[in-house]
Amino acid sequence: MKEYKKYFQITAAPEDVYNALTNPLMIEIWTGEPAQMETVPGTEFSIWDGAICGRNIEFVPNQKIVQEWYFGEEENSLVTIKLHQHKGGTSMEVRQINIPDEAYQNIAEGWEEDYFGALNQLFEE
């Protein structure tokens, strides 16, 4: 099992980034796919029309999101997203632990190209 950690800079305030990550309508706008999300610990979520799904664990408004991502038969992966005020907007710290070795490259590219790439585009327009 592997771990992924990276910081991304987004030109938007932490409250706007948090809203984009937790509001299902906003998620659908930047992913272009159906999404299910509630900011209630213990609820299930699904983004990219089920490509990423799991269970919500913790929410600290405008600061932190903790989720458990499902990997089929594999042990679940824990994702923590922390939002920090930054001079250019928000520094988004992403940490994902317990990634199956064979999925690591795909997960890393997904964070950088799909997740951050789409989210960043939302705020650049």
Side-chain angles (χ1 to χ4, degrees), residues 10 21 44 58 66 70 76 81 98-99 101 106 121 125:
I10 300 174
L21 293 170
E44 301 279 318
E58 180 185 2
V66 181
Y70 301 152
N76 297 334
I81 299 173
N98 213 30
I99 302 170
D101 293 348
N106 188 38
Q121 273 190 325
E125 298 178 314

Side-chain angles (χ1 to χ4, degrees), residues 60-72:
V60 178
N62 308 325
Q63 296 176 23
K64 183 176 168 184
I65 300 165
V66 181
Q67 298 174 319
E68 186 176 48
W69 287 16
Y70 301 152
F71 276 109

